[in-house]
Amino acid sequence: MKRIILVGYMGSGKTTVGKALSKETGMMFYDLDWYIESRMRKSVSQIFAEKGEEGFRKIEYNMLHEVAEFEDVIISCGGGTPCFFDNMDYLNQQGDVVYLKASPETLYKHLLMAKVERPLLKDKSPEELIDYITEHLKGRAPFYEKAKYTLDVNVLDEYDKIKESVAALRAQLSL
């Protein structure tokens, strides 16, 4: 029984790495936000709008405890998941947690390229966005850094580099 749990700031590549790792290992991949949307039949944005962040975080906590009981899975957590309740300690008890670490500049580039709209980032100028990412990451990094493993994702801008990083992660996790 194996659980690999990916944490990191939004835009760090958790879904990209998770899907690639799933393809390489044959393990099922679950994106926690997608899981929540499927179970709640609403988008994360709708849940935030209806229940606020506190309401969303309670739902997220419950759904995390469901999906983290699955066996032989790769789980991609939302960027804030490790930062609330006892989530990071719980994740470390449930499996091998990997922090996908990226600089604010890399995160900024990834988020600009992302096709997904992020409620926390809309309506920000480029300068406001890089400042927001930098400050937000400072607050979240102590939670992320509790992960057992760290993968530098500053280089994940080409498919071959993603493959190399996934291979290195597989070796580190003995998969």
Side-chain angles (χ1 to χ4, degrees):
M1 189 255 337
K2 189 95 168 150
R3 291 182 195 105
I4 300 166
I5 303 158
L6 306 175
V7 301
Y9 199 75
M10 63 181 131
S12 62
K14 298 179 299 288
T15 300
T16 300
V17 171
K19 285 180 177 179
L21 197 55
S22 173
K23 187 176 179 181
E24 293 278 324
T25 64
M27 294 170 67
M28 287 294 299
F29 171 71
Y30 290 90
D31 179 295
L32 184 59
D33 283 347
W34 297 350
Y35 185 79
I36 292 168
E37 290 178 343
S38 171
R39 294 273 281 114
M40 300 303 294
R41 299 181 187 267
K42 294 180 181 180
S43 70
V44 169
S45 296
Q46 288 174 307
I47 298 168
F48 256 87
E50 290 175 13
K51 299 187 180 289
E53 185 172 16
E54 185 177 336
F56 170 76
R57 296 299 175 189
K58 288 177 183 173
I59 292 167
E60 180 184 56
Y61 174 86
N62 291 328
M63 298 295 111
L64 174 65
H65 281 253
E66 276 184 29
V67 78
E69 295 293 326
F70 298 168
E71 296 183 0
D72 298 318
V73 294
I74 299 162
I75 303 166
S76 167
C77 294
T81 306
C83 309
F84 292 87
F85 308 106
D86 64 344
N87 289 350
M88 195 60 189
D89 293 332
Y90 174 73
L91 291 171
N92 277 318
Q93 292 168 2
Q94 293 302 108
D96 292 326
V97 182
V98 182
Y99 169 29
L100 276 58
K101 186 175 185 174
S103 70
E105 295 76 23
T106 296
L107 294 168
Y108 172 77
K109 289 177 195 169
H110 289 184
L111 290 167
L112 283 181
M113 292 187 298
K115 295 177 179 73
V116 178
E117 187 174 300
R118 314 277 180 159
L120 295 172
L121 303 181
K122 68 180 185 180
D123 302 327
K124 289 189 177 8
S125 71
E127 296 78 22
E128 290 171 327
L129 185 55
I130 192 78
D131 289 346
Y132 178 84
I133 293 167
T134 301
E135 286 307 307
H136 213 212
L137 185 58
K138 281 181 191 173
R140 290 183 171 188
F143 295 96
Y144 300 152
E145 289 167 356
K146 291 181 180 180
K148 184 174 181 182
Y149 302 96
T150 299
L151 178 65
D152 181 343
V153 295
N154 284 303
V155 298
L156 298 186
D157 57 355
E158 295 174 9
Y159 183 72
D160 288 342
K161 291 178 184 175
I162 294 169
K163 271 187 87 163
E164 289 171 19
S165 293
V166 167
L169 183 57
R170 283 187 69 188
Q172 201 175 12
L173 296 170
S174 302
L175 296 175

